[in-house]
Amino acid sequence: MSRTSTPQDTAPDAAPKADSPLAHGLKQRHLSMIALGGVIGAGLFVGSGAGIAAAGPSIVLAYAISGALVMLVMRMLGEMSAANPASGSFSVHAERAIGPWAGFTAGWGFWFLLCVAVGLEGIGAAKIMVGWFPDSPEWAWVALFMLVFCGANLTAVKNFGEFEFWFAALKVGAITLFLGIGVLAILGILPGSDISAPGLENLTGEGGFMPNGTNGLIIGLLASVFAYGGLETVTIAAAESENPVKSVAKAVRTAMWRIALFYVGSMLVVVTLLPWDNKEVATKGPYVATLDHLGIPGAGEIMNVIVLIALLSAMNANIYGASRMSYSLIERGQGPKALGKVSGGVPRYAVLASSVFGFVCVLLSYWRPDDVFPWLLNMIGAMILVVWIFIAASQLILRRRTEREAPEKLVVKMWLFPFLTWVALAAMAYVFYLMTDQPDTRKQLLATGALTLALAVIGVVRQKMAEKRGTAVDTADTAGSADA
């Protein structure tokens, strides 16, 4: 008797196996710092300036709203990853919950996002180095960074962990120092400074808390949503830690206050100390502008070092995340088998493929800066939201299944399930709607939608073909049994 496999029947067991070829070389200190540093990116240090220019002091509200959404997403992802740790993270969960096509779409979409991001971060880091060494070619710096981090990821996973540990420690130290200086300045007790306490003058003056109305708040909200990308890497890395379940549970539980402290807190410091329409906030970046305002010597160069560290950290983490996601997809039959070879506990061909694709994106920024490269950027513009939707939809399904089959695996639980899961999904849909109102984000939405649709179609075709092959095998086995 023939039968067609269902997603639940064919989905792989996401739990790590004792004989898994991947090494488990990440320690708890690595995971803690990856989770901590993952929320501090170059987008926070530099990109937030555009959000402040659009939203004014209400950027604090924008980051708080988007931060609340990210907290819900991370809680959902943490619940599934603690129950079934896997190097494919949400791609594996989507496959188990919805079907192989969903895992294919979410996984390869995220891989594409990370690889293009690697190229962007390499370009950003190279521009800083050219500023320090004007006679050096930008492409040479990108190539150097690519070689360093590709090499680091080709060796033992603990080397990736050590890089991220120290990168994250420097970023956390910098943002903590900034917050401390800012709080002292707000109170009017910063040593060596003659800046008086600003009170609420900058928060309520110059047009009020929302100087550009709800439209400015919406622009700030869209900017802040995409600044949170990168938190998902910790659930991918947790699968290679010494204790995956404990590691992911601890990382997700402590991610909440980090978001509130680093993002919302730093935005509050900036708009309290500086008028939101200060031109230097957008040109220099909010952190440099604030430190310059306070008379901190060498503020610009200090922040350039911190931004460089943030960019290099993101390159390292994204090469790692892309290689592990592609390896997981290949292991599940969702990609070219030639890239799935593991040696020394590392999927080295997947690392090389992800790094090469990232470097090709860099070359395209030189060769085709007016058409192909902007097209690539638009394609990844809303991909993180697509991934979040797959996470929420998967959690809705897997939570019920886990409660029935293995309730003891629910080490981390989504709050107020299923109400807050539906709230998160509605919020994501609303963000998509808001993107249709802005010309730039509308282009991103269309390009990302085209990429997602193409991946989904390929995934569905592959799934149907696999199901037919499975049906043919079942029929042959039945016929063979009858003959016997």
Side-chain angles (χ1 to χ4, degrees):
M1 180 178 177
S2 66
R3 70 180 183 89
T4 300
S5 300
T6 64
Q8 187 173 352
D9 294 324
T10 59
D13 181 6
K17 299 175 178 60
D19 58 349
S20 172
L22 292 182
H24 291 261
L26 294 178
K27 301 181 183 296
Q28 181 60 51
R29 68 181 179 89
H30 294 142
L31 264 292
S32 296
M33 272 300 179
I34 289 172
L36 194 57
V39 300
I40 308 172
L44 173 63
F45 289 116
V46 180
S48 53
I52 294 173
S58 67
I59 191 67
V60 177
L61 180 60
Y63 269 91
I65 294 171
S66 55
L69 174 59
V70 174
M71 287 182 188
L72 296 181
V73 172
M74 283 303 296
R75 190 73 182 187
M76 289 183 276
L77 183 55
E79 177 185 291
M80 295 184 291
S81 298
N84 291 286
S87 61
S89 187
F90 51 82
S91 173
V92 171
H93 307 323
E95 181 169 338
R96 294 178 66 242
I98 305 170
W101 74 267
F104 181 92
T105 304
W108 285 115
F110 191 68
W111 178 85
F112 187 83
L113 165 66
L114 293 185
C115 289
V116 176
V118 166
L120 287 175
E121 288 141 4
I123 293 170
K127 288 184 183 299
I128 293 176
M129 297 304 296
V130 170
W132 291 336
F133 304 95
D135 296 329
S136 59
E138 188 175 298
W139 65 266
W141 288 111
V142 178
L144 175 62
F145 296 145
M146 282 288 186
L147 286 173
V148 169
F149 294 118
C150 178
N153 278 276
L154 285 172
T155 57
V157 69
K158 67 179 181 180
N159 291 336
F160 157 75
E162 284 299 323
F163 263 113
E164 279 307 290
F165 178 85
W166 292 109
F167 277 149
L170 290 170
K171 288 190 292 184
V172 170
I175 197 74
T176 302
L177 182 60
F178 175 82
L179 289 171
I181 291 172
V183 170
L184 292 176
I186 290 171
L187 297 175
I189 56 174
L190 180 64
S193 175
D194 56 0
I195 302 294
S196 59
L200 300 178
E201 179 182 352
N202 293 322
L203 293 175
T204 57
E206 301 291 335
F209 186 70
M210 295 176 60
N212 294 321
T214 55
N215 189 56
L217 176 62
I218 288 170
I219 296 174
L221 179 63
L222 292 175
S224 63
V225 164
F226 302 112
Y228 284 111
L231 280 168
E232 305 81 8
T233 304
V234 70
T235 60
I236 296 174
E240 293 184 75
S241 65
E242 296 172 334
N243 190 332
V245 175
K246 180 181 178 182
S247 296
V248 73
K250 184 175 180 180
V252 169
R253 282 172 179 154
T254 55
M256 311 304 129
W257 65 265
R258 294 167 186 156
I259 290 173
L261 177 64
F262 294 138
Y263 276 84
V264 182
S266 59
M267 288 300 100
L268 182 59
V269 166
V270 171
V271 295
T272 301
L273 288 172
L274 285 180
W276 67 272
D277 55 356
N278 186 316
K279 292 182 179 179
E280 291 188 346
V281 171
T283 57
K284 292 184 176 181
Y287 292 81
V288 174
T290 302
L291 293 175
D292 279 343
H293 173 70
L294 297 177
I296 306 296
E301 289 307 312
I302 292 171
M303 287 311 303
N304 272 338
V305 172
I306 301 303
V307 172
L308 177 65
I309 290 169
L311 287 165
L312 296 180
S313 171
M315 283 186 71
N316 188 38
N318 288 343
I319 291 174
Y320 171 83
S323 65
R324 275 16 179 218
M325 180 59 72
S326 58
Y327 166 75
S328 174
L329 287 159
I330 292 162
E331 190 182 37
R332 289 177 277 139
Q334 302 272 33
K337 292 182 180 179
L339 299 180
K341 185 178 180 181
V342 176
S343 58
V346 176
R348 289 179 174 151
Y349 290 130
V351 170
L352 285 171
S354 301
S355 301
V356 168
F357 189 88
F359 194 63
V360 167
C361 293
V362 174
L363 295 179
L364 287 172
S365 73
Y366 296 108
W367 296 337
R368 306 298 295 269
D370 299 323
D371 46 18
V372 178
F373 190 61
W375 178 68
L376 286 175
L377 298 186
N378 283 330
M379 289 177 73
I380 67 170
M383 184 54 68
I384 196 65
L385 273 175
V386 173
V387 168
W388 290 355
I389 286 176
F390 274 113
I391 290 172
S394 301
Q395 192 265 341
L396 275 174
I397 297 169
L398 292 180
R399 172 64 175 267
R400 298 298 191 196
R401 188 183 301 171
T402 307
E403 286 177 337
R404 291 194 308 268
E405 299 173 0
E408 70 280 359
K409 287 187 174 183
L410 291 173
V411 180
V412 178
K413 288 186 178 182
M414 177 60 180
W415 307 297
L416 298 177
F417 176 81
F419 174 71
L420 285 182
T421 301
W422 283 111
V423 168
L425 277 169
M428 294 174 210
Y430 186 61
V431 172
F432 275 132
Y433 168 73
L434 293 177
M435 291 184 73
T436 64
D437 282 344
Q438 307 295 328
D440 291 340
T441 54
R442 191 183 304 124
K443 291 179 183 178
Q444 293 176 6
L445 187 59
L446 291 173
T448 301
L451 173 62
T452 303
L453 180 61
L455 289 173
V457 169
I458 295 171
V460 168
V461 170
R462 289 176 58 89
Q463 181 176 329
K464 295 295 183 183
M465 292 174 63
E467 289 173 352
K468 286 182 179 179
R469 287 195 298 268
T471 300
V473 169
D474 285 351
T475 302
D477 288 346
T478 303
S481 300
D483 291 342

